[in-house]
Amino acid sequence: MNKELMEALDILEKEKEISKETLFEAIENSLITACKQHFGKADNVKVEIDRETCDFLCYAEKEVVETEDDVEDDCLQIPLDKAREISKRAEVGEIIHVEIKSKSFGRIATQNAKNVILQKIREEERSVVYNQYFEKEKDVVTGVVQRYLGRNISINLGKADAILNESEQVKGEIFKPTERIKVYILEVKNTPKGPRILVSRTHPELVKRLFESEVTEIRDGTVEIKSIAREAGSRTKIAVWSNNPNVDAVGACVGMNGSRVNAIVDELRGEKIDIVTWDDNPGNLIQNALSPAKIVAVFADPEERTAKVVVPDYQLSLAIGKEGQNARLAARLTGYKIDIKSETQAKDAVGFRYEDYLGDDYDEEEYDGEYEEEYDDSEEGYVDEAEGYEGEAEGYDDEGTFEEETDE
């Protein structure tokens, strides 16, 4: 048994996770390459390696000819007298196996054989690393900050390095070397120099994966994350739904004394997270999405994916949010274009009044002045059933009126 070779293969398999079968094939190819380098051709050369003992045999298949004068190619033919030295039963026209001693190879042939084995090991090592991280694509991993490459950051993930591009960094976040951070793997590319891994700190899925890892109920499917809208570094809104009536979806995500959500906020360096309850009724969903603002009425059009919202006068700025952020995130979360007006503004605006949705039997005098009484904070206007989905961001002016759709 070739114990040294067996030990070397065991070490490579354990440390680099390269299968023995692949290494055996590399050795066979290296010996064939050495034969080609030594003899000029290797079409008739065969290599056999015992997988149990690691003993190997290298031989050439040669045709038996009558005499030395009949030999046209030493690599392919052998005279009968020499063939009889190998096998006494050899006959003219037969193919016999002539053993090749690897010790007879020259220095150059031996070096080439070594290079073939090393090249195969490097290729397999890259392949193993690529497959390992390709399986983690669209998932969150922990990495160690190494250094800044211009405005990009190199992050070590263990067996490979990843690149955090400037466009995927949260504005204001500054990392120090050796600092451990969680990143979302965007893409894993296979290149000749090894896998190229692109990661992100701004992707909404980062927040979703962090909740999955932190909240047991999400992991086991009891609570679902229906929709998520994020402005990285500032604020995130997330809509959750419980499949178990005995489990409070929002409470499960918040945790006791806010322990679960606080752990995620700390990982995101203080980014605010609003957790709201998902509702198949678009009116209720929009009302939840605009929290913490109180809502007087919601008039939603599921076909047009638009909604008109009325809020108390003192709640208008809160509903819109700083630079329109609250309304913009609510629009993304629900998939509706949201137009917000205060009660005072809504009195003279078409589509924001209860009477706009009544039939021909509406008596203006009967309903005049009763708008405020008809709606309290718990009621909503005309809505229909619809599924929510993530939509584009909307812009709002100072009065909360929808201006244009922006793609962020």
Side-chain angles (χ1 to χ4, degrees):
M1 175 183 284
N2 195 332
K3 292 183 179 180
E4 292 182 357
L5 180 57
M6 179 67 77
E7 290 176 359
L9 296 180
D10 288 337
I11 293 173
L12 284 171
E13 185 177 42
K14 184 177 180 180
E15 292 185 354
K16 300 185 181 295
E17 299 180 7
I18 303 174
S19 66
K20 282 186 181 179
E21 186 59 35
T22 301
L23 295 171
F24 281 130
E25 292 176 1
I27 294 172
E28 290 173 354
N29 292 332
S30 70
L31 290 172
I32 292 175
T33 301
C35 289
K36 187 172 184 179
Q37 186 73 30
H38 186 72
F39 298 110
K41 61 176 64 178
D43 296 337
N44 61 329
V45 175
K46 305 293 182 184
V47 178
E48 293 180 357
I49 301 179
D50 190 318
R51 268 47 172 175
E52 299 296 330
T53 64
C54 283
D55 292 330
F56 63 90
L57 175 64
C58 183
Y59 61 88
E61 295 178 340
K62 294 187 178 183
E63 180 186 2
V64 179
V65 295
E66 188 69 37
T67 63
E68 190 76 38
D69 295 335
D70 295 325
V71 176
E72 297 178 357
D73 191 334
D74 289 337
C75 295
L76 302 177
Q77 296 172 325
I78 185 173
L80 181 59
D81 56 343
K82 290 185 178 180
R84 290 277 171 85
E85 294 177 1
I86 300 172
S87 174
K88 294 181 179 181
R89 298 180 180 181
E91 298 292 340
V92 175
E94 289 183 351
I95 301 295
I96 66 169
H97 295 171
V98 180
E99 184 179 358
I100 299 173
K101 299 292 184 181
S102 57
K103 291 182 180 180
S104 65
F105 296 157
R107 182 182 62 82
I108 296 177
T110 305
Q111 186 65 37
N112 287 340
K114 175 186 174 183
N115 292 338
V116 169
I117 296 175
L118 293 176
Q119 179 64 23
K120 184 63 175 179
I121 291 174
R122 284 192 292 268
E123 290 176 0
E124 285 302 314
E125 189 176 5
R126 286 196 292 265
S127 178
V128 167
V129 173
Y130 170 77
N131 292 332
Q132 179 180 342
Y133 286 100
F134 183 75
E135 293 175 356
K136 296 181 180 179
E137 197 174 64
K138 312 302 180 186
D139 205 351
V140 172
V141 296
T142 301
V144 178
V145 176
Q146 293 191 124
R147 61 188 179 278
Y148 276 83
L149 304 173
R151 295 187 177 181
N152 300 332
I153 303 174
S154 174
I155 299 175
N156 182 264
L157 302 181
K159 293 186 176 181
D161 291 341
I163 299 297
L164 180 61
N165 290 325
E166 182 185 10
S167 59
E168 299 297 336
Q169 297 174 29
V170 176
K171 292 181 179 179
E173 278 192 346
I174 299 176
F175 302 109
K176 298 178 181 178
T178 71
E179 189 174 357
R180 299 179 69 85
I181 60 172
K182 290 186 182 294
V183 291
Y184 178 77
I185 297 181
L186 286 175
E187 185 180 19
V188 181
K189 297 179 180 178
N190 200 5
T191 67
K193 294 183 179 180
R196 177 179 171 80
I197 306 172
L198 301 178
V199 296
S200 172
R201 286 275 297 177
T202 62
H203 203 284
E205 285 290 315
L206 173 63
V207 180
K208 184 177 180 180
R209 297 298 183 191
L210 289 175
F211 269 101
E212 289 176 355
S213 63
E214 194 70 34
V215 182
T216 308
E217 289 80 1
I218 294 178
R219 218 163 33 242
D220 62 22
T222 305
V223 175
E224 292 183 41
I225 297 176
K226 289 286 192 176
S227 181
I228 186 168
R230 184 186 185 201
E231 290 191 0
S234 179
R235 194 172 188 178
T236 293
K237 281 184 180 286
I238 182 170
V240 294
W241 171 259
S242 175
N243 294 313
N244 186 339
N246 297 322
V247 176
D248 177 21
V250 174
C253 294
V254 173
M256 186 175 294
N257 297 325
S259 59
R260 290 176 171 177
V261 71
N262 286 340
I264 298 172
V265 169
D266 290 342
E267 179 59 43
L268 297 176
R269 308 295 178 92
E271 182 175 317
K272 296 178 182 178
I273 299 178
D274 294 341
I275 306 172
V276 302
T277 303
W278 172 268
D279 199 307
D280 288 333
N281 185 311
N284 293 337
L285 177 60
I286 292 169
Q287 181 171 325
N288 295 340
L290 285 170
S291 65
K294 294 180 179 180
I295 307 300
V296 174
V298 178
F299 303 99
D301 186 347
E303 294 183 0
E304 297 292 331
R305 307 298 294 181
T306 59
K308 300 182 185 301
V309 179
V310 181
V311 300
D313 290 354
Y314 69 95
Q315 290 276 302
L316 181 60
S317 61
L318 181 62
I320 297 173
K322 184 180 180 180
E323 298 178 354
Q325 185 185 66
N326 191 56
R328 187 166 57 248
L329 287 175
R332 284 195 221 164
L333 191 73
T334 61
Y336 277 71
K337 295 179 180 179
I338 302 174
D339 193 355
I340 303 175
K341 289 189 183 298
S342 66
E343 288 180 295
T344 302
Q345 296 168 339
K347 287 181 179 180
D348 302 322
V350 177
F352 286 85
R353 299 170 299 181
Y354 179 72
E355 54 266 28
D356 294 334
Y357 298 93
L358 297 176
D360 297 334
D361 297 334
Y362 163 64
D363 185 349
E364 184 175 355
E365 293 182 359
E366 180 180 351
Y367 288 93
D368 186 29
E370 297 184 5
Y371 182 87
E372 291 84 2
E373 297 178 6
E374 284 291 328
Y375 290 92
D376 58 24
D377 292 343
S378 63
E379 291 186 292
E380 61 184 24
Y382 171 78
V383 295
D384 199 354
E385 295 295 323
E387 291 292 330
Y389 66 92
E390 291 189 16
E392 298 295 324
E394 281 73 41
Y396 295 83
D397 62 17
D398 294 338
E399 295 183 347
T401 304
F402 171 79
E403 289 182 336
E404 62 179 357
E405 184 173 341
T406 59
D407 188 4
E408 292 186 358

